[in-house]
Amino acid sequence: MVSVVRVHLPSDIPIVGCELTPYVVLRKLDKSFITDDIDETAPVDGHFLRYKWYRIQSDKKVEVCSVHPTEQATLQCLGCVKAKIPVAKSYHCSTKCFSNAWQHHRVLHDWAASAINDNGTEEEELFACFNSSSSGATNINLPPTGSSLNLSNGSAAPVYPVAVAQRSRGETWFEVGCSKTYTPSADDIGHTLKFECVVVNAETKQPVGSPSQIATSRVIPAPMPTPRRLIPVSVVDANGHLDLDGRLSSFGTFTVLSYNILADVYATSESYSYCPSWARSWNYRRQNLLREIVGYRADIVCLQEVQSDHFEEFFSPELDMHGYQAIYKRKTSEVIQTLDGCATFFRRDRFSHVKKYEVEFNKAAQSLTEAVVPNAQKKIALNRLVKDNVALILVLEAKFGHQGIDNPGKRQLLCVANTHVNVHQDLKDVKLWQVHTLLKGLEKIAASADIPMLVCGDFDSAPGSSPHALLAMGKVDQMHPDLSVDPLGILRPVSKLSHQLPLVSAYSSFARGVGPALEQQRRRMDSSTNEPLFSNCTRDFIGTHDYIFYTVDSLTVTSLLELLDEDNLRKDTALPSPVWSSDHIALLAEFRCKPRVRR
């Protein structure tokens, strides 16, 4: 017969919306071990497995702390309830916890008040979708800034389902699932779950032996970040004029998101020990990332560090249900067995796919080595140049407002490049060469089609570095310190390190724009480079490596996704965290096409 040897959960902290899949080890009649599911329709050795999930509810309803989700809440902020902020954010485990969190917590109230004043109906609906019923805890009425905190007690009776499975010692067990996997819901928050599996005789349908059981800790709500707002920008053009309403532009705008999502293979405890294991687990991160990405509602989504299995099994089908078409390019595997790559998604109702180009920098390295490197140095050169990086370039056709005022009836095409230039910081020559190779390829496309261009991705290069200079300025100063590292001579002559694409960084519009809403964003920008202070924030590093570049002669920026505040992120030490599931932040820009001017 089949017997259960071990039952294990990858994480004992269940989170709302994140699927729980127990690891069940079985011993067969021949003494071999298997971990496969055994369904009633396909028994093994005359037996199959039956599963059940229970919610264990005590007679006292328990809420969990919004700051320390593994701790029981003892305080509730009434200001959150009144402002219709997600109720899960209103709970705290102690007065000290609430006081320490107050500086960041009050931002929720400020944002909610501002959102309701500006567009009450829309924001109330946004908050309402995360609300659940409140329950017993001490309530806190928020005072004006600078005054003391007033605490008052309150309680509420728990609400139970009608059907009761079992009851003992002040606990009620409700059967909530009968399959191997279970996804906790809002009803489970604050309660313990129990998984049970038992071997069943396929003929008699009777259990064989005692069931194997494992219990979780209390279910916690998925931490919800404060929604990031899209900030309108009114940019001054080269002649000092404002394009306030797009009168000189063709109809229709579109949004583009670029995001390094941190592949699971890189999200190790060694690299990110400060992030709780449950928040670092892929089951949690994938749901949190999906919720974030879908919430932005971008027309085009460029993701980096997407594992091939995660693309095929999760992101592609999930985003397909939200109306996106997906195209993927996996990194090559000559150096190591790479698992990740670049994925570009676009909304089928907004764009159609015209053409795809795949750039494999390993192939370019082979060609370069054959052409300019002496035979005796070819192996050394390839070891230095081959890094498995790729770029994915798509040509899309817009389905919206593409009858431009300059060319009625003309197809509105758009070229979108998505890349991750993952090269060690010591190999500055290789990093610059790869960016230059990509840009020369884009130049050829621009020459043949003369279409607007977007260059998105993680370039692993800070503002002021030679790759950033090449992208933003079109050339690299011959005295740039990065050029001192060139053992293969691939950067000479320096005059070749140039391109003709009029690229501008989208987020520089925060620095060049006008309006009171931009002042806070400017404080999150580096005034010397006109780039964000950071797009990558870990315990050991903070800086900008991610960009969205666009051709300024054919596109104009109309809005940008607000930047994050470092102090707020440091509450959880760094990224990733329970709130944000990558070590990078998402960048998003809204564009409008300009009348076409032949380059």
Side-chain angles (χ1 to χ4, degrees), residues 378-599:
K378 281 188 182 350
K379 185 175 181 179
I380 296 174
L382 286 175
N383 285 339
R384 187 175 184 87
L385 293 173
V386 171
K387 300 302 171 192
D388 292 333
N389 293 329
V390 297
L392 176 61
I393 304 171
L394 301 184
V395 176
L396 305 175
E397 180 179 355
K399 295 182 178 181
F400 56 91
H402 54 273
Q403 275 75 36
I405 57 175
D406 56 330
N407 254 323
K410 186 77 172 181
R411 297 169 72 195
Q412 180 62 68
L413 299 179
L414 178 69
C415 181
V416 183
N418 179 12
T419 191
H420 183 194
V421 182
N422 187 13
V423 179
H424 193 276
Q425 296 299 325
D426 291 343
L427 303 177
K428 292 180 172 58
D429 55 323
V430 179
K431 194 173 297 189
L432 177 57
W433 169 76
Q434 289 194 357
V435 172
H436 182 252
T437 300
L438 172 62
L439 291 170
K440 300 312 285 186
L442 291 173
E443 265 192 330
K444 292 179 181 178
I445 298 173
S448 63
D450 188 38
I451 58 177
M453 289 203 159
L454 294 164
V455 187
C456 308
D458 176 1
F459 291 85
D460 204 25
S461 301
S465 65
S466 56
H468 181 266
L470 182 60
L471 284 158
M473 306 300 294
K475 62 182 180 179
V476 180
D477 189 288
Q478 62 180 357
M479 300 305 292
H480 198 289
D482 285 0
L483 300 182
S484 63
V485 180
D486 185 21
L488 301 175
I490 58 174
L491 305 180
R492 295 190 287 270
V494 176
S495 58
K496 76 176 183 179
L497 298 175
S498 63
H499 66 89
Q500 300 302 312
L501 299 173
L503 294 177
V504 173
S505 174
Y507 270 79
S508 67
S509 298
F510 271 154
R512 295 182 290 110
V514 296
L518 301 181
E519 289 305 317
Q520 183 185 55
Q521 301 307 309
R522 285 199 186 94
R523 291 194 292 270
R524 299 171 184 176
M525 298 281 290
D526 184 340
S527 59
S528 64
T529 63
N530 285 348
E531 295 286 5
L533 289 173
F534 68 90
S535 67
N536 182 200
C537 178
T538 68
R539 183 175 54 193
D540 304 318
F541 173 82
I542 185 166
T544 296
H545 282 167
D546 307 85
Y547 308 93
I548 299 175
F549 284 94
Y550 68 100
T551 46
V552 72
D553 63 340
S554 53
L555 295 170
T556 185
V557 178
T558 58
S559 299
L560 291 167
L561 186 66
E562 68 177 333
L563 297 169
L564 294 179
D565 174 57
E566 181 186 353
D567 289 341
N568 203 3
L569 296 182
R570 292 299 186 190
K571 287 192 305 178
D572 297 302
T573 303
L575 300 178
S577 70
V579 175
W580 306 101
S581 288
S582 175
D583 56 344
H584 292 248
I585 66 170
L587 301 180
L588 183 145
E590 181 184 59
F591 295 96
R592 181 186 288 114
C593 292
K594 290 181 177 180
R596 299 160 67 85
V597 178
R598 186 75 188 179
R599 294 191 188 109

